[in-house]
Every structure is written in C-alpha cells, then in structure tokens.
Amino acid sequence: KGLSVGIVRFLHRYFVRQTMPGLAAGYYDNMIEAVSEFYLAPFCREVFRAFPGSTTILDAGTATGSLPVMLARGSPGYRVTGVDLSEGCLRVGRARAAREGVAVRVEFLRADLEHCPFEEGAFDLVVSTCSFHHWRRPGSVLREMGRLVRASGEIWLLDHLAATREDRRRWVDRVEAAAQTGLLFRWVYSFENRFLSYSEGEVRALAAGAGLALTDWRADGVFWTAKAVKR
C-alpha cells in the first residue's frame, strides 16, 4: 500500500495540473457554498474565538474564496488575503467579496504558494483548507508559511484524513444531499482520500523540516486539523 500511495502521489504532483480549470470553478464553488455551514463554518468559529481583534490572515490555496469572505464577514477587524494559482477561481472569489460587501478587506492574488509576494512576518495567521494534499512540495509550502507568519503568529491547516470506507460513505452522502454533486465528487473524493491523504506522522515530520512545531492535531473521521508555530 505504501508503494502504491507513493507512486500515485508522485504522478499527481508532477503530471496533474496544480491549478483548477476555469470550467471546474463553478462546479466547485456551488459545492462549497452548499456544504460551507458544516465544512467551513466550524473552522471559522474557532478562528473567531482565537483571534477576536484586528488580524491579518492569509488563506493559502483559497480556490473560489469562500473562506476569506466568511472570515471577513464574521469579524470587522479582519483583513484577509486569498492566494491561488487558478485565476478562474480568484475571479469567483472577487465577485463573492464584492457581493457580500467585504471587498475592501478581502484581496485575492494569483501566486505560487512556495514563493508568495509578501514580506516576512506579514500575517498574524496563515490558514489552508483542503489544499495540502495538492501541494507538489508540501515541505516548501510550509517553510514559506513560516516565513510569512509573524514570530508569535500561527498556522492552521485542515485537510482530508485517510478515512474508513464507512466514514467516506457517510461524508459523500452528506455532501451529495446538500449539493447534488453527482458521481464526479464521489470519484474524486474517494481517490484523493485513499491516495493523497497525509497521516499525523507525515505532517509532523514535514512541519519539523520546515522549522515549525505542531501545537495541536485533531481528527474527526474525514478531516484532520493541525495548528503550528515557528520553532
């Protein structure tokens, strides 16, 4: 199993496009909007509790920008920047921010997560949700996150857990009931969950290699959440 996972990860990283095609952006956005209340909302509530005042936040791998808009809408002291490689997704995010009235505090930029165009220590908090498993060089991205967060700041990550078949089935059923995603989501999620999910040990090792230390690790059946600080 370990060899097959390694081969699939290699092929995915170096032969699959790392940017979402424009035609897929609308499908993805509709799905995220439908499931945001039980997918992103709990993550946002935890951010609000931990960072109650003025806060600069970077969302790495923002896709269509749901998370930055939700964060800015929930706390008037937040300034949020979302970065992604897909310009099609970023256009959706900009339109959402304007529609929700938070465009003045939310910015979207096309950038490589390994080489972001920001000064060292520019952010109080760096977050990323369900982007980790797509990164070609996760250690390099984590190292860049460490550069971008201020000395006393934090890095929060959420991604797919290698779930049991029953947990995968329950999650897919829940998403399909909310978003009517069809077979495409079932196939893509099953593939990513089985072959691209990272274990706690792998994440801890990658973080340590990037000069970070995990302060928290939690798993809830289909997702893991990790928090890290500079060492």
Side-chain angles (χ1 to χ4, degrees):
K1 181 178 179 180
L3 179 61
S4 63
V5 168
I7 291 172
V8 171
R9 283 184 182 175
F10 175 83
L11 293 173
H12 180 265
R13 287 174 185 167
Y14 292 99
F15 294 96
V16 175
R17 291 180 63 191
Q18 297 298 294
T19 179
M20 188 182 300
L23 291 176
Y27 170 89
Y28 178 85
D29 189 57
N30 289 336
M31 180 185 71
I32 294 299
E33 280 292 283
V35 304
S36 62
E37 188 54 39
F38 53 85
Y39 162 49
L40 290 177
F43 186 87
C44 289
R45 287 193 290 269
E46 191 166 352
V47 173
F48 297 147
R49 288 193 295 269
F51 296 85
S54 177
T55 307
T56 54
I57 303 173
L58 174 68
D59 181 25
T62 191
T64 54
S66 291
L67 182 60
V69 171
M70 291 175 70
L71 289 170
R73 193 174 58 202
S75 181
Y78 286 4
R79 299 190 68 88
V80 191
T81 301
V83 297
D84 201 275
L85 280 173
S86 173
E87 186 59 41
C89 285
L90 295 174
R91 284 195 294 269
V92 175
R94 294 183 189 111
R96 171 180 285 107
R99 188 170 61 248
E100 296 289 338
V102 294
V104 70
R105 293 186 291 110
V106 176
E107 180 182 23
F108 291 102
L109 296 175
R110 186 177 187 276
D112 183 341
L113 294 182
E114 295 183 47
H115 307 284
C116 290
F118 308 110
E119 295 181 358
E120 183 174 344
F123 299 95
D124 300 308
L125 174 66
V126 177
V127 300
S128 185
T129 59
C130 285
S131 178
F132 193 101
H133 63 279
H134 290 302
W135 300 344
R136 283 179 174 165
R137 290 172 287 272
S140 295
V141 178
L142 290 174
R143 191 172 296 108
E144 179 70 348
M145 288 180 166
R147 183 186 74 83
L148 294 173
V149 74
R150 62 180 172 82
S152 58
E154 298 183 29
I155 297 167
W156 290 20
L157 307 168
L158 181 152
D159 207 81
H160 296 313
L161 181 72
T164 65
R165 180 177 296 181
E166 182 60 23
D167 283 338
R168 285 200 304 268
R169 184 192 63 77
R170 281 197 293 264
W171 175 249
V172 169
D173 288 347
R174 190 176 189 187
V175 173
E176 289 188 341
Q180 291 81 52
T181 52
L183 290 176
L184 178 60
F185 171 75
R186 182 179 294 273
W187 292 336
V188 171
Y189 174 76
S190 179
F191 168 80
E192 291 183 346
N193 189 264
R194 292 175 62 191
F195 293 104
L196 305 182
S197 300
Y198 283 78
S199 68
E200 178 181 359
E202 289 176 309
V203 176
R204 285 189 181 277
L206 287 165
L212 305 174
L214 292 195
T215 59
D216 186 38
W217 171 278
R218 283 170 290 163
D220 69 354
V222 292
F223 294 111
W224 56 260
T225 304
K227 298 177 183 178
V229 296
K230 291 184 178 183
R231 298 174 71 178

